[in-house]
Amino acid sequence: MSDFGLKIGIEGEKQFKDALRDINQAFKVLGSEMALVTSQFDKNDKSVEALTSRNSVLTKEIGEYLLLDIFMI
């Protein structure tokens, strides 16, 4: 019985760490994507195209945060 509990704990911890690593990687990618979008437009550019591009990246980031929040529950 104790082997069973220990095995679940170790496997669960590995999956948890793997998921956190994947989420952190996704945030790095999104950060790079936002930097690219920002570099394509002047920081004060309020055109529809610029705002739509920024909104797209921010929406992806919110999705990652929500995924992380659900994962942590």
Side-chain angles (χ1 to χ4, degrees), residues 34-35 37-47 50-51 54:
M34 182 58 87
V37 167
T38 301
S39 72
Q40 291 174 340
F41 300 99
D42 178 23
K43 288 190 183 236
N44 294 322
D45 188 356
K46 302 296 182 206
S47 69
L51 295 175
R54 289 184 186 122

Side-chain angles (χ1 to χ4, degrees), residues 1 4-5 7 9-11 21 25 28-29 31-32 47 49 54-55 63-64 66 68 71:
M1 276 295 211
F4 180 72
K7 184 177 180 181
I10 291 171
E11 288 180 5
R21 186 189 66 244
Q25 182 62 32
K28 288 178 186 177
V29 169
S32 297
S47 69
E49 184 180 4
R54 289 184 186 122
N55 184 52
E64 288 295 324
L66 292 175
L68 177 61
F71 180 73

Side-chain angles (χ1 to χ4, degrees), residues 16-73:
F16 177 76
K17 287 181 179 180
D18 289 346
L20 284 180
R21 186 189 66 244
D22 292 344
I23 291 168
N24 285 334
Q25 182 62 32
F27 281 127
K28 288 178 186 177
V29 169
L30 290 170
S32 297
E33 189 175 337
M34 182 58 87
L36 175 64
V37 167
T38 301
S39 72
Q40 291 174 340
F41 300 99
D42 178 23
K43 288 190 183 236
N44 294 322
D45 188 356
K46 302 296 182 206
S47 69
V48 172
E49 184 180 4
L51 295 175
T52 301
S53 296
R54 289 184 186 122
N55 184 52
S56 175
V57 176
L58 291 173
T59 300
K60 291 177 190 177
E61 286 184 2
I62 290 169
E64 288 295 324
Y65 280 116
L66 292 175
L67 180 64
L68 177 61
D69 190 40
I70 290 170
F71 180 73
M72 297 302 273
I73 293 177

